[in-house]
Amino acid sequence: MDLEYTAEQHTFRGEVRSWLAANVPDQPLQTFDTAEGFKQHREWEAILNKGRWGMVTWPESLGGRACDLIEWLIFEEEYYQARAPLRVNQNGIFLLGPTLMEYGTEEQKARILPKMANGEEVWAQAWSEPNAGSDMAAIRSAAKLEGDRYIINGQKTWSTRAVWADWCFGMFRTDPESERHRGLTFILVPLDSPGITVRPIAQLDGLPGFAEIFFDNVEVAIENRLGDEGAGWSVAMATAGFERGLMLRSPARFQETAKRLVELYMANRDSADGDPAVKDAVLRAYLNAESYCLTTYQTACRLNKGGKIGAESSTNKIFWSELDQNMHATAISILGARAELLPHAPAAQGVGNWLDGWLFSQSGPIYAGTNEVQRNIIAERMLGMPR
Amino acid sequence: MDFTFTEDQLLFQESVRDFLQNEVTCERIRASWETDSGRDTALWNQLVELGLTGMTVPEEHGGLGMTELDFVLLAQECGYVALPEPLVHTVMVAVPMLNELGGELAAEWLPKIAAGDARVVVGLQQCLLVEDAHIADLLLLQQGNVLVAATADQVFLKHNESIDPSRKLFSVEVQAGAQQIAEGEQAATCVANALNRGALGCAAQALGLAQRMVDLSVQYTSERQQFGKPIGSFQAVKHHMANVAVQLEYARAPTHRAAYAIANGQELAAYAVSHAKIVACEAANLAAKNSHQVHGAMGYTWEMDLHIFMKKAWALANTWGDTGFHKSRIGDRIFAPRAALGAGATFA
Ligand SMILES: Cc1cc2nc3c(=O)[nH]c(=O)nc-3n(C[C@H](O)[C@H](O)[C@H](O)COP(=O)(O)OP(=O)(O)OC[C@H]3O[C@@H](n4cnc5c(N)ncnc54)[C@H](O)[C@@H]3O)c2cc1C
């Protein structure tokens, strides 16, 4: 065990830091749940990609730096410290990208990955359906192979950023006789295809952060199938693994929130200490963010040495989402009467973006597989309890 | 950056695990409760033979010259079987204190510990009572601002019964003849380091205890049937256990980091230890609570083995610094002006 960064890792951190210092926009971008904000974030992806900082873990041939997981964690630490923009194409670069590298054909990789990397093509996920939420195996949207194309009919929902995204990926039932996990196929669909209707859905903040997608005889070339026909479930499980795991929610994000929470508490200590539970909640938040960081580093080191990650990755999803929710709940109680105010309200000094974060933190225990479903997985697959 | 244990460390853990699980059965623990001393000399001799008592004794004194980091995984295994013998105390607290004090005292006692010819315990004011004082040949005791070494005939002991029958606790009165071995800053440093090591020992054992309680509960709820099926198939029961698994999963790395920090004399060791102690003992306490719940009334009996582990978990949570002590140390660090916090600060 050696818990010091190597000289190379320090150098790498320095490079990331100075590039971000020179390139992160001075003014925060508008939220990507608006047309203008989406465009700004797309441009930011192009800038990142040009500097070869878009996806540092990708191979050099794809504009990456072939970084290992520790360098990835370092990159993220610098990224969040620099308050750089959120990643509008996270579904692409963090989830579909790695899945494509594992299951895609050479042609697919060459066609899709570069445009994903530079933000030219932003991706949405299309798993959920009105009657297939936690029970994803209940998917009914159908794709029928006719010659060299699939004809898709059905409906997806809750598709994040689909309003302005260019493509979506998801699972469709290709065998109409099949049930549950069988007969599903992983297909990539251009969202400008004829027959597609995207209907925005306003989220808690009133903005159209996700959307329904209706498919009415949508034709998709067979080249856009990922993996074999009928093998969708196992491909999708790989994607879901990336989502719960290290890639999407690296510790830096929560450590920065914890740090801001400590600062918020210190700045409002006199009033905050009126509720003796607050100090403890802040302390716990900080420790839990540290625990998340330490555990992630330990896992990353194990994976770097060829280790594998199993059902215990479900603990990860529960831990970060509940940590995030608790941190924001604490911030809200520190802010007191100001907490409900939107940032532009005249009396809203010092509220920062806690309210926004609070709203979003409510969704953490729901998306990427609800925490109840994760607990089922932990009990059955990690602990071996009876079904 | 390498946050993994070596092959050797993992193999050592495995062989000690096999030994402990074979030898330290619940029946053997219960048998030890029936004896006067509560201690099992035959078992201690086996631990000596495996070289375990001398793990942190330097090689020139007949030990293996290993560190807290080498021992932390073994301490987890001691927790898993609720080992009553003071192995963690010896390896993690008593021997390192002698190492720090050095000189004749160390030269005299370290070889004896490694050879199994003597037992040494440490008593700190923070701990209220002294563990296993009744079987100690030498006691290293904090007396205000000084440290004294007292042999068995230089102390007067009063037994204080614990809810955990495996824990043997004593108030100690030092009689004439005890020798002052450190004062001032040296004594304060020794005491602070001993407290950190003792707390690390608690954290590591708590991890093992929590795992054991989960394993017992998974087994019990897979066998016990109600409403025509195993109770472990009910989701409420599953989620009790999943909640423990989540906390436990995130308590290990902090504990391993604390061991590393102590073994490498890092400035953040005290903070790292307090972090580990809080999260590991919380995981063990949750394991106790939820395991008890899923055992139903059986969990409330003396006969069921679960309480062997629950009671140890409860005790460890509040000894070698209680929650208030450790949380206030965390607070001192993170609420300090200009504290280095946030992303990138963890290993800086
Ligand atoms: C902000 C946000 C973004 C999202 N983005 C996307 C996206 O981009 N693409 C996409 O496809 N989907 C997306 N989703 C949808 C998300 O994947 C689903 O909400 C999630 O899978 C749960 O499905 P559901 O909402 O239908 O809830 P339901 O499945 O109806 O669940 C409701 C409640 O019942 C519980 N429950 C259900 N089944 C069980 C069970 N077996 N055991 C115990 N409890 C159970 C759940 O845990 C939950 O508490 C998003 C959701 C949110 C909130």
Side-chain angles (χ1 to χ4, degrees):
Chain A
M1 192 174 294
D2 174 9
L3 301 186
E4 308 285 337
Y5 293 108
T6 62
E8 291 77 40
Q9 286 165 342
H10 279 298
T11 310
F12 177 75
R13 185 186 290 282
E15 277 177 53
V16 179
R17 185 172 295 180
S18 47
W19 188 87
L20 288 169
N23 289 277
V24 170
D26 300 331
Q27 287 300 312
L29 307 184
Q30 289 180 42
T31 155
F32 50 43
D33 294 339
T34 61
E36 178 56 24
F38 200 90
K39 197 166 135 256
Q40 291 173 352
H41 280 81
R42 210 194 261 280
E43 286 159 8
W44 169 246
E45 289 297 320
I47 295 169
L48 275 171
N49 185 56
K50 220 165 133 211
R52 282 204 306 129
W53 295 110
M55 205 47 210
V56 293
T57 55
W58 284 20
E60 291 179 27
S61 58
L62 289 166
R65 292 169 184 255
C67 285
D68 69 11
L69 288 171
I70 297 299
E71 288 163 323
W72 163 248
L73 294 173
I74 294 171
F75 173 81
E76 287 277 282
E77 286 164 2
E78 292 304 316
Y79 196 85
Y80 279 96
Q81 273 190 76
R83 308 215 170 169
L86 293 175
R87 306 299 299 271
V88 69
N89 207 8
Q90 53 176 265
N91 293 331
I93 55 183
F94 298 157
L95 306 179
L96 182 61
T99 317
L100 264 171
M101 289 179 211
E102 204 170 319
Y103 292 93
T105 63
E106 289 311 312
E107 181 277 327
Q108 286 174 327
K109 291 187 222 174
R111 172 161 57 91
I112 296 167
L113 291 172
K115 288 183 184 163
M116 176 189 289
N118 67 13
E120 210 177 311
E121 290 176 353
V122 176
W123 288 81
Q125 302 192 76
W127 312 109
S128 304
E129 297 182 4
N131 289 310
S134 297
D135 186 11
M136 206 160 76
I139 282 175
R140 285 207 309 241
S141 293
K144 188 162 171 245
L145 189 60
E146 282 182 8
D148 59 356
R149 30 206 57 222
Y150 283 104
I151 312 295
I152 301 185
N153 282 288
Q155 179 190 351
K156 296 287 181 181
T157 190
W158 315 129
S159 184
T160 298
R161 287 181 287 284
V163 179
W164 294 286
D166 309 286
W167 284 73
C168 71
F169 59 91
M171 265 194 298
F172 299 87
R173 198 161 288 284
T174 40
D175 176 358
E177 306 294 304
S178 68
E179 278 184 45
R180 310 291 304 156
H181 313 76
R182 282 172 289 274
L184 295 168
T185 300
F186 198 120
I187 301 176
L188 319 174
V189 186
L191 283 170
D192 59 3
S193 309
I196 284 194
T197 309
V198 175
R199 195 183 71 82
I201 306 174
Q203 296 183 323
L204 277 190
D205 61 1
L207 296 173
F210 45 30
E212 288 175 293
I213 308 173
F214 298 91
F215 301 79
D216 180 10
N217 286 319
V218 175
E219 294 185 17
V220 178
I222 195 169
E223 292 86 57
N224 289 325
R225 182 182 74 208
L226 181 53
D228 292 335
E229 182 162 308
W233 190 263
S234 55
V235 184
M237 284 306 107
T239 312
F242 295 123
E243 179 166 32
R244 268 173 237 144
L246 282 171
M247 278 299 172
L248 190 65
R249 291 289 179 261
S250 62
R253 176 188 182 121
F254 306 108
Q255 290 186 287
E256 282 301 295
T257 306
K259 174 185 175 178
R260 287 193 296 117
L261 182 62
V262 171
E263 289 165 357
L264 182 74
Y265 169 68
M266 295 302 276
N268 294 276
R269 209 164 176 170
D270 291 341
S271 56
D273 280 341
D275 176 354
V278 165
K279 185 179 179 186
D280 189 56
V282 174
L283 195 143
R284 250 163 215 289
Y286 194 80
L287 281 191
N288 284 340
E290 281 273 278
S291 297
Y292 188 57
C293 172
L294 290 162
T295 306
T296 305
Y297 266 84
Q298 195 166 45
T299 306
C301 289
R302 217 160 40 73
L303 294 177
N304 274 350
K305 287 190 160 178
K308 290 259 173 302
I309 193 162
E312 70 269 22
S313 74
S314 286
T315 62
N316 182 333
K317 158 77 210 304
I318 293 174
F319 198 81
W320 64 250
S321 59
E322 295 183 358
L323 165 62
D324 200 42
Q325 213 177 20
N326 290 338
M327 288 197 288
H328 284 92
T330 307
I332 292 296
S333 70
I334 293 173
L335 288 170
R338 284 175 295 163
E340 67 176 292
L341 300 179
L342 299 186
H344 58 262
Q349 292 108 349
V351 298
N353 51 4
W354 286 107
L355 183 61
D356 228 24
W358 162 246
L359 294 183
F360 188 58
S361 74
Q362 305 307 306
S363 68
I366 297 171
Y367 67 78
T370 71
N371 287 9
E372 288 75 21
V373 169
Q374 305 302 340
R375 286 184 164 89
N376 295 345
I377 295 174
I378 290 167
E380 287 166 13
R381 297 195 215 140
M382 184 176 160
L383 303 179
M385 293 177 80
R387 283 180 193 252
Chain B
M1 179 65 60
D2 177 9
F3 206 154
T4 60
F5 288 93
T6 63
E7 278 301 303
D8 284 349
Q9 285 165 334
L10 295 171
L11 283 174
F12 201 6
Q13 177 189 21
E14 222 172 276
S15 69
V16 170
R17 174 192 298 153
D18 288 346
F19 169 80
L20 290 173
Q21 294 191 10
N22 283 327
E23 294 295 329
V24 189
T25 58
C26 292
E27 297 75 59
R28 194 163 179 183
I29 291 174
R30 286 172 186 274
S32 78
W33 294 349
E34 304 305 322
T35 65
D36 279 345
S37 73
R39 291 294 168 260
D40 181 338
T41 315
L43 176 57
W44 186 257
N45 289 339
Q46 286 176 291
L47 299 171
V48 171
E49 263 166 50
L50 289 170
L52 293 175
T53 58
M55 261 194 81
T56 48
V57 171
E59 284 170 77
E60 74 257 31
H61 291 310
L64 300 175
M66 293 183 171
T67 69
E68 293 84 353
L69 184 60
D70 296 305
F71 186 69
V72 68
L73 295 175
L74 309 192
Q76 290 176 207
E77 299 304 330
C78 294
Y80 191 85
V81 299
L83 176 70
E85 299 302 312
L87 183 67
V88 177
H89 185 119
T90 303
V91 177
M92 203 78 124
V93 185
V95 168
M97 186 182 262
L98 285 169
N99 285 341
E100 260 174 37
L101 289 165
E104 279 173 27
L105 194 72
E108 181 185 349
W109 290 94
L110 288 172
K112 290 191 197 169
I113 296 173
D117 295 335
R119 304 218 213 178
V120 178
V121 299
V122 173
L124 306 182
Q125 273 156 3
Q126 185 71 45
C127 296
L128 186 65
L129 296 166
V130 184
E131 298 171 350
D132 291 290
H134 63 316
I135 51 159
D137 301 287
L138 183 75
L139 299 92
L140 305 173
L141 302 166
Q142 180 191 8
Q143 302 269 291
N145 298 325
V146 304
L147 270 182
V148 301
T151 50
D153 55 339
Q154 293 164 343
V155 290
F156 177 69
L157 304 180
K158 258 195 224 142
H159 183 215
N160 286 254
E161 221 172 323
S162 164
I163 186 62
D164 174 1
S166 292
R167 280 171 64 74
K168 299 296 169 194
L169 302 172
F170 298 86
S171 48
V172 178
E173 225 173 85
V174 179
Q175 314 287 92
Q179 176 200 355
Q180 179 175 321
I181 48 175
E183 59 178 348
E185 208 170 301
Q186 194 199 5
T189 308
C190 270
V191 166
N193 289 344
L195 183 60
N196 285 336
R197 294 197 189 95
L200 171 64
C202 292
Q205 290 179 86
L207 296 177
L209 287 162
Q211 186 66 55
R212 180 62 172 273
M213 288 186 270
V214 169
D215 290 354
L216 287 172
S217 301
V218 168
Q219 194 189 350
Y220 181 78
T221 61
S222 301
E223 286 161 9
R224 162 83 176 159
Q225 303 230 348
Q226 283 294 279
F227 302 97
K229 21 179 153 147
I231 54 172
S233 66
F234 299 123
Q235 208 168 57
V237 171
K238 283 185 177 151
H239 287 197
H240 274 314
M241 288 300 113
N243 287 338
V244 179
V246 173
Q247 285 216 17
L248 183 53
E249 192 72 12
Y250 287 86
R252 288 197 191 95
T255 305
H256 299 159
R257 194 272 286 265
Y260 177 89
I262 288 186
N264 290 279
Q266 289 189 324
E267 182 269 322
L268 56 61
Y271 157 78
V273 163
S274 288
H275 177 185
K277 176 101 182 349
I278 289 167
V279 295
C281 288
E282 259 178 18
N285 269 337
L286 186 71
K289 180 178 162 193
N290 290 4
S291 298
H292 189 187
Q293 185 66 20
V294 305
H295 275 75
M298 277 309 281
Y300 202 67
T301 64
W302 190 267
E303 179 197 335
M304 196 78 195
D305 289 332
L306 181 64
H307 75 116
I308 298 175
F309 306 96
M310 291 202 302
K311 288 171 177 171
K312 181 152 251 131
W314 293 338
L316 294 187
N318 283 305
T319 185
W320 296 95
D322 58 19
T323 317
F325 173 84
H326 288 290
K327 278 196 179 167
S328 71
R329 291 211 307 193
I330 304 276
D332 289 346
R333 186 177 174 96
I334 68 177
F335 299 131
R338 287 178 302 283
L341 305 175
T346 305
F347 298 103

